[in-house]
Amino acid sequence: MQKLSAFFIGLLFGLGLLLSGMTDPGKVQGFLDLAGAWDPSLAFVMGGAIAVGFFAFALAKQRTRSFLGGGMYLPKATEIDRRLVLGSLTFGVGWGLAGFCPGPGLVSMASGETKGLVFVLAMLMGMAVFESLERLGAKTRTT
């Protein structure tokens, strides 16, 4: 039941991204172009997501189990550290340059867009590089 509900929630999320135009890199870059032809539509999509997330997390904090009976695993970290700042900067630069973040990139790729495929491949390569560097760092710290 959990896998089926996760599939339908993901499908709903993807459809929402398609309908809102967030799979179009030009729309995202138009939002980030404050000095040019600024497109505020992404602000409304973000506002809606923040409102839903705010109430969803408030409800989730009061529960010990999900609606389908699974455990609740909410983030516990509250500290802003170097890794968080560098990761956020990397994400923001990539988002601004490519016009995609992971969700819209995957939806764009699944709908047959070449730009989405290129983005997802680059994202996977970046993840592989990160994992390799993490392992190398862990080896260096233990020796």
Side-chain angles (χ1 to χ4, degrees), residues 80-106:
I80 297 175
D81 61 3
R82 181 177 174 264
R83 288 175 61 119
L84 176 65
V85 171
L86 290 175
S88 300
L89 287 170
T90 303
F91 175 88
V93 168
W95 188 48
L97 290 173
F100 285 122
C101 61
L106 287 168

Side-chain angles (χ1 to χ4, degrees), residues 64-82:
T64 57
R65 299 240 127 319
S66 72
F67 289 118
L68 296 176
M72 295 293 284
Y73 304 105
L74 297 174
K76 301 215 183 320
T78 58
E79 187 177 311
I80 297 175
D81 61 3
R82 181 177 174 264

